[in-house]
Each structure stands twice: as C-alpha cells, then as structure tokens.
Amino acid sequence: MIRAAMAPIGIVLVHGYLGAPADLAPLAESLAKAYGNAAITRLCLPGHGDTATPPFAEDAMLAVLAAAMDHHLDQGRRLVLIGHSTGGSLLLAEIARRQAKRPDSLAGLLLLALCATPPRIDLGYTQRWGAHSAERAPSLHDLGALVALVNGLARRGPLALPAATLIVHGEEDELVPVADAEQWRRRLNGPLRGVSVPGGRHHLFTGAGAELAVDALRRAIDDARQHVDAATESALCALEPGLQRFCDIWPGSLRHLADSPAAMRALAREFVPTSEAGCEPTLANIEITTRCTLGCGACARTRMKLKSRFMSLADFRRVLERLPHAWRINLVGLGEPLLHPEVIDFIRSAVAAGRRVGLVTNAMNLDTAMARALCASGLASLTFSLDAVDPATAERVRQGSDMALISANIRALVAERKRQGARLSTAAFTALTGATLGELAAIVDFVADHELDALMVTDLNFAANQARSVHASLTPEQARGVRLALKRALARRLPVLSVWGLEEWALDRNYLDYLLLSGKQLAHRSSRRGHCLSPWQTIPVNVDGNLTLCDCQPEAVIGNIHHTPLGEWWNGPAMREQRRCMLSDHPPEACLVCPRF
C-alpha cells in the first residue's frame, strides 16, 4: 500500500550572494552518499568563483539556476531545491517566474528548503550585512538590487507552491534573526514545516548544529520521496479524528503513521518487528516538569530523587519540531504536568501544530480555573492516575493524596466538559499491588460514579517494585475478587482495559480487543515479547530533552533531542540492541518484569 516514488530525484543546492559552494559542502556530501553524485548539482553563482566581490547579477544568477533545474527535469527527475541565505530568494524568484509563464511548470517539484533565507530586508538587516561581509562589501548598487529582489518577493503576497517547504534556521543566526523565520508561514501557501538549529549561525552547514541541519534535510527528502496511496490515507485518517489536518500540515508524516505498529494493526496489516524501526516516532511521552506534590512509593521519581525542574515553552516547541511525525503527544513523566505554570500554553502549542494531545494527572491541582482552561484548550484526552480510592489506602500508596479534593476536582472537570461540549475523553489509570488488589471494586465504582469514559488497570513495573506486585502474590481468593470487580464494571457499562492497549489506535472503537478479563491476565508476565509496541513507535522525552529507551527505563539515556540527530538515536546502536534483545530468547530485565511486554 505504501509506494516509494520511482522517479529519481535531482537536488539543486544554491548558495547565497557573496557565499560559495563550500557553504553547502557537508550537506552536498551527505546527500551524494544517499542519492548518488548524479543527483546533486551544487551551483556556483556567476562571479562567485574568486575572491573579488561579485556583482548582484540577478538575471545571470537565475539563468544558471534555471539551467540546473531544467537539466534534472529533462532527465526525468523530481526536483528538490535547497537554497541557503539569498540562494533561497533566488529559488523563489525562479519559481514565481515559471509559475507566471505556465502554472503547471513546476509539477515536478518535490521539496523546497529555505535555509537561513531572509523573508524581507530592513535597515537592521543591512547593518548586520555590513558587519557580516566587511571583507567583501558590495556596492550600494548591488546591495540595492539584492534588497529589491528580496523585498519585491515579499510584496507579491503569498506564493502558492506545488510542493512542501522546509524552513531551516539557526537559533544564533547573526545575519537573519531566527524570529524572522516565522514570517514564512504567512508568505507561503502549502505544507510547511520549520526546524530551528540550536547554536546554529548563518552558515548552517559548517558550524555548530550542522549535523542537526543536515539530518533534518535528509529526512525531509526521504519523506517527500515516498507517499501513501489514497485508499490507505483515507482508511488511516478515518481511524482518528483530526489526523487529516495533521497530515495536511506535513504530508510526509503519512508514511510514518501508516507504517507505525499501532496503525498497521488497526488497519489489519501485519506488523513484523525487527531491530530497525520502519517509521520515525509517532507517539511522544513528554515530561514537562519533574515537580510533584505526591510521594508515590512505586514511582521512579521517588527512587531517582529528582530535583524539581520545568521545561521551557521554547524547548517544548523545539521538541515538537524534532518529532514532526509524532501525531500523539502525551504530557506525562516523573512529575505532575498541572504544576507547570504554562501547561495550557504547552497544550495549545501542540494542538496548533495539529497534534492529538493527552495529559496524565493526579488531579490534586485540577481546580475550577484549570478545568475550564483544559476543556477549552483542545486537549483530546485526560487520564487520572488513581491507585486507590479509600482515603487511608490512597495516603499510604500515594503520600499527600486528598481523595475528597481529587473527587471534587474530577466531578468539576466532567461538569465543565459537559458545559463546554468539549471533545475530551477521560479515563483513570490504576497500578495495583498485591496489597491494594482488594481496592479494584471500589475503584470501579469511583470511576463509574464520576462518569469517566474508561478505566485502565495494570500491575507494577520496574524491578524494584516486583516484590509488591500482583504477579508475585496473586491468590485464588484475590483472582476471584478481580473477576467480581470486572463483572461489576460490566454491569455498570464501564470498560476496564488491559495495559496491552495503551498505545493502540482507535481504542474507543476497538476496546473489546483490550478488555481486562481476569486476575491472571493482570498478573501475567511473558518471557517473550507479545504486546509491547513502544520501541517501534514511541519515544519518551524528559524535562531536559534527554531521550530514553522506553518509559520503563528512565535512566537509560540514548541521546538528547536538542543536540543529537534522530538517525543517531532512533535507529542508533542502543535502540537497535534494545529491539534485538526484546525479540530474542533473553529479553532485558526491564521487559521481563513489565506487564505490557
């Protein structure tokens, strides 16, 4: 169902005025390794081959550029156009010229990338230009010609492009401020994605962050070369409300979503796991704070003794940029998300980017104002972490819990959801122990009485918790109690789900496949992988941007999303070894003790 584009590609690399082909050399070398030397044309603009200051000869520059494009088109290649600095402006000028002559003349354009390209030039820009090019200062005439080109493009109004556009910009660009990159969203019609490079200066591909910039372009080209057929796209988008909007923002996400294990299973396609993931992460569990007001004995936060920290909103937006295909974003981790003072802004930012956003909370800080804001934020799902409902038991297993407050807060949230008519699904997530198994019937009644949509129940994970787990101590009498509690839930029309369905798609329609059926199922541990999808589609990101193998191994760091190219961690040595071991006869200990495995 997923087909790679058969036509070869031709990549045209265009440096900026007063720049040189060497500015793009690391990118050109990387692309040549991937697509072959014949696919790459690295232009040298007229007059830029020596140390003299070249004139800004727009017509001559466009002629060279046009010839390179036509060469690839004549060879039957799809075009990938990459412009650095004012090289991007020249590309836009040539695109506009061709569209004016014949609107369909760029049907062969696959991807446009504008790297550190100015959307317009003002007085501040010309002052920075003087400092940037002091050794080769252009004449006033040439500078005026450059300004006329760039600002003339800006005055034309939105430019409709026949292909996706990638905007790559250095956060420390000394010539074109990174804030100016946002203007491209208003200037260009069509799918568009931005990537900011930490530490990146104007020469994106030869300085700090160069590996991240090259990686972003390589991945975007690979995305553009592949597509999903219409039938698969239609079936995929029918599974999840809002998915079509997400894919319209960046169509390259379709093939990753279609190849994600959960989507494949929902579409009745066989998922055959290997040590390599066939898609980039489509689900991200993002920790926005490590602060929490509860002391839960089974939580890794208690064991790791973390200091309280908050992720900045700017860093959160960077995380979303680095994970362009993560359709599902869950705000969850070793802290309480509602303690973050900007949590609503986090949700709104992700929703604006087309993501389906969920949040896991202990409900202690879910006051009336927060409930109102959450329901209006576009949040898709809200899960209450609830391991006991008897006040004494709740205080014992989750120190600091106030069940009267939690109950009132949940009731107020559900009432506010009804008042606003918000499309916000609600659930409770319960981790039981051998000592709290008798609480299940009361938890079922609590969840049903509070009109939550579902309850998901699991045993404890982490090796340190196993002595207290249901797996270690389930008795026949306790198993009977679980059966009675599940019958009670059935009578109250409350779905009680196994943790095996945690990452599945369309769970509201396919929940019957993931019902919790018995105490033995709850206590089950497997010696071979049977259910876990996580390392093939999900990435946890902690408050500092560190990436870990999975949520069950928060100390197993494999990279940092702000500094490590995706290719080095997602299908890098550590993650490949994790998958290989999971598929072997000797899985990692963290998997053997995990109820999801």
Side-chain angles (χ1 to χ4, degrees):
M1 285 184 282
I2 298 176
R3 303 191 302 271
M6 299 304 294
I9 59 171
I11 304 175
V12 180
L13 303 173
V14 188
H15 64 79
Y17 178 51
L18 300 186
D23 298 340
L24 297 161
L27 175 62
E29 292 167 5
S30 176
L31 297 181
K33 288 180 182 178
Y35 309 114
N37 289 322
I40 313 299
T41 299
R42 184 160 43 125
L43 292 184
C44 181
L45 295 175
H48 286 71
D50 52 42
T51 58
T53 302
F56 188 82
E58 180 180 337
D59 290 342
M61 292 175 179
L62 292 182
V64 170
L65 197 163
M69 293 169 61
D70 289 336
H71 167 74
H72 288 297
L73 291 173
D74 290 345
Q75 298 293 320
R77 299 179 180 134
R78 301 290 302 276
L79 282 177
V80 173
L81 304 178
I82 301 175
H84 176 248
S85 192
T86 46
S89 303
L90 291 168
L91 285 172
L92 289 172
E94 178 60 16
I95 289 170
R97 186 188 70 80
R98 292 188 179 222
Q99 287 184 324
K101 292 178 64 177
R102 200 175 80 240
D104 64 347
S105 61
L106 281 171
L109 180 60
L110 200 60
L111 177 72
L112 171 67
L114 303 178
C115 307
T117 297
R120 54 99 177 98
I121 295 178
D122 57 16
L123 180 60
Y125 184 95
T126 57
Q127 291 171 340
R128 291 189 299 274
W129 180 279
H132 181 74
S133 57
E135 295 180 0
R136 302 177 69 197
S139 68
L140 287 177
H141 177 272
D142 289 321
L143 187 58
L146 171 63
V147 172
L149 169 68
V150 174
N151 290 352
L153 287 167
R155 287 193 295 271
R156 293 186 185 186
L159 181 63
L161 297 176
T165 304
L166 183 72
I167 308 296
V168 186
H169 218 97
E171 293 185 358
E172 306 298 328
D173 193 317
E174 70 278 17
L175 184 58
V176 186
V178 66
D180 285 3
E182 261 316 291
Q183 295 186 35
W184 289 115
R185 296 189 184 278
R186 300 188 295 272
R187 290 273 310 280
L188 302 174
N189 287 335
L192 183 148
R193 180 163 71 87
V195 175
S196 58
V197 180
R201 294 173 66 81
H202 191 64
H203 288 292
L204 273 168
F205 304 106
T206 58
E211 289 184 350
L212 287 171
V214 171
D215 182 66
L217 281 159
R218 276 279 304 272
R219 289 160 52 204
I221 293 171
D222 285 342
D223 290 346
R225 295 186 73 209
Q226 301 184 60
H227 70 275
V228 174
D229 63 71
T232 301
E233 179 178 353
S234 177
L236 190 68
C237 291
L239 291 172
E240 295 276 353
L243 184 58
Q244 186 65 64
R245 174 175 172 261
F246 176 68
C247 293
D248 288 344
I249 291 173
W250 191 251
S253 294
L254 268 168
R255 69 106 169 173
H256 294 279
L257 293 162
D259 278 346
S260 68
M264 292 177 72
R265 297 205 322 198
L267 293 172
R269 294 168 56 201
E270 184 182 8
F271 168 58
V272 180
T274 69
S275 63
E276 293 266 338
C279 65
E280 290 186 17
T282 56
L283 191 158
N285 293 327
I286 304 177
E287 175 186 83
I288 63 173
T289 181
T290 55
R291 184 183 177 194
C292 190
T293 53
L294 300 186
C296 304
C299 179
R301 181 183 186 277
T302 303
R303 184 179 75 253
M304 295 171 69
K305 296 180 169 46
L306 298 176
K307 294 182 178 179
S308 295
R309 300 190 305 286
F310 293 105
M311 181 182 285
S312 71
L313 183 58
D315 274 352
F316 179 71
R317 288 169 175 159
R318 291 184 187 100
V319 171
L320 297 183
E321 283 183 1
R322 306 287 184 272
L323 300 171
H325 316 302
W327 145 244
R328 293 164 63 180
I329 301 293
N330 289 327
L331 304 185
V332 63
L334 302 182
E336 167 52 50
L338 296 189
L339 290 173
H340 199 298
E342 296 178 289
V343 62
I344 299 301
D345 293 325
F346 278 64
I347 296 168
R348 288 173 176 160
S349 289
V351 170
R355 317 298 177 110
R356 184 189 188 279
V357 186
L359 185 145
V360 180
T361 177
N362 60 33
M364 288 285 291
N365 294 84
L366 183 60
D367 58 21
T368 302
M370 180 62 75
R372 187 181 304 117
L374 287 173
C375 289
S377 68
L379 186 70
S381 66
L382 187 61
T383 301
F384 301 104
S385 186
L386 194 72
D387 296 343
V389 294
D390 173 75
T393 306
E395 168 61 26
R396 176 167 52 83
V397 298
R398 297 168 67 89
Q399 292 181 10
S401 295
D402 181 339
M403 284 310 304
L405 177 63
I406 290 171
S407 173
N409 287 349
I410 293 176
R411 289 190 187 281
L413 181 283
V414 172
E416 184 64 26
R417 178 179 67 165
K418 291 179 181 178
R419 189 186 71 78
Q420 292 191 25
R423 297 182 62 179
L424 172 62
S425 67
T426 58
F429 185 92
T430 295
L432 293 172
T433 71
T436 62
L437 202 55
E439 281 271 303
L440 184 56
I443 292 170
V444 164
D445 284 339
F446 182 96
V447 173
D449 290 345
H450 287 73
E451 300 180 75
L452 302 185
D453 300 322
L455 168 64
M456 182 170 281
V457 180
T458 184
D459 194 2
L460 294 177
N461 62 351
F462 301 131
N465 292 331
Q466 292 312 293
R468 296 178 290 136
S469 69
V470 176
H471 171 71
S473 61
L474 182 68
T475 66
E477 184 62 25
Q478 287 176 322
R480 180 175 178 274
V482 171
R483 287 197 302 273
L484 292 176
L486 295 176
K487 286 183 178 180
R488 188 177 188 86
L490 184 64
R492 301 205 62 176
R493 305 185 70 175
L494 173 69
V496 179
L497 306 178
S498 161
V499 74
W500 292 342
L502 187 62
E503 295 187 4
E504 298 292 349
W505 280 36
L507 201 55
D508 57 334
R509 282 175 282 172
N510 300 327
Y511 68 90
L512 292 175
D513 295 334
Y514 301 100
L515 289 175
L516 183 65
L517 302 175
S518 68
K520 287 185 177 180
Q521 182 185 359
L522 177 63
H524 175 74
R525 295 293 190 277
S526 176
S527 61
R528 294 295 301 267
R529 179 202 161 271
H531 301 279
C532 181
L533 305 176
S534 186
W536 288 272
Q537 65 180 15
T538 303
I539 191 66
V541 186
N542 82 358
V543 70
D544 300 313
N546 288 333
L547 306 147
T548 57
L549 289 173
C550 67
D551 293 297
C552 297
Q553 301 179 72
E555 295 162 291
V557 175
I558 59 173
N560 184 282
I561 200 162
H562 302 303
H563 307 294
T564 313
L566 183 139
E568 293 183 14
W569 54 266
W570 182 238
N571 272 322
M575 191 64 92
R576 288 201 309 270
E577 179 64 9
Q578 169 73 10
R579 299 185 191 112
R580 187 195 66 77
C581 289
M582 287 180 68
L583 300 173
S584 75
D585 292 330
H586 304 285
E589 181 187 22
C591 297
L592 291 174
V593 302
C594 179
R596 292 168 57 190
F597 185 57

